[in-house]
């Protein structure tokens, strides 16, 4: 499959979700379909879509960690954050059982 076919499918699926979110299904002004975005714009739109769809699921921290976007939050929120974002946010805590079973060290930022 070519990249264009994959992108068409991605637009199709995300626009189906956006259509569902419309109060007036025939009006595209509330929640317009996505189209004509660059790869980076589309990726950002998908991350926002996920945030809206799963806002109460408690996955934001994992999304920020996976997408390496913690620093963006620090920049936007600055001193209003009660706990500043540090380098440890960019690594994963290794569970104690894994450290013991595999004789490995904890990630340095978590010491």
């Amino acid at each position: 499959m070519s990249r264009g076919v994959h992108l068409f499918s991605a637009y199709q699926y995300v626009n189906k979700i956006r259509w569902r979110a419309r109060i007036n299904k025939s009006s595209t002004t509330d929640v317009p379909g996505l189209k004509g975005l660059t790869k980076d714009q589309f990726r950002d739109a998908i991350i926002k879509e996920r945030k809206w769809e799963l806002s109460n699921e408690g996955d934001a921290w994992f999304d920020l960690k996976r997408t390496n976007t913690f620093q963006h939050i620090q920049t936007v929120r600055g001193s209003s954050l009660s706990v500043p974002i540090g380098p440890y946010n960019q690594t994963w805590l290794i569970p104690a059982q894994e450290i013991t079973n595999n004789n490995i060290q904890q990630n340095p930022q978590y010491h």
Side-chain angles (χ1 to χ4, degrees):
M1 256 190 205
S2 72
R3 183 180 175 277
V5 172
H6 289 296
L7 189 56
F8 173 76
S9 296
Y11 274 115
Q12 177 184 1
Y13 294 126
V14 75
N15 285 336
K16 191 176 220 179
I17 292 168
R18 293 178 71 76
W19 176 84
R20 189 197 70 215
R22 291 183 192 147
I23 294 169
N24 177 355
K25 302 298 185 208
S26 63
S27 172
T28 59
T29 56
D30 309 1
V31 185
L34 299 179
K35 63 181 178 182
L37 302 175
T38 66
K39 182 174 99 175
D40 290 336
Q41 290 170 330
F42 188 78
R43 183 178 292 130
D44 289 344
I46 294 300
I47 291 169
K48 285 180 187 173
E49 206 68 40
R50 180 174 163 79
K51 183 173 90 173
W52 293 323
E53 284 292 315
L54 304 173
S55 63
N56 294 319
E57 302 296 322
D59 289 336
W61 184 84
F62 295 105
D63 288 345
L64 290 169
K65 193 119 168 142
R66 188 182 68 251
T67 59
N68 201 23
T69 52
F70 271 112
Q71 192 57 44
H72 174 72
I73 301 302
Q74 179 72 54
T75 302
V76 171
R77 304 263 317 268
S79 61
S80 70
L81 288 172
S82 56
V83 178
I85 294 170
Y88 67 93
N89 291 115
Q90 299 304 112
T91 60
W92 292 94
L93 176 72
I94 301 172
Q97 183 176 353
E98 294 298 323
I99 290 171
T100 302
N101 291 345
N102 297 295
N103 194 29
I104 58 175
Q105 298 291 315
Q106 181 57 269
N107 280 321
Q109 294 84 354
Y110 283 92
H111 284 292

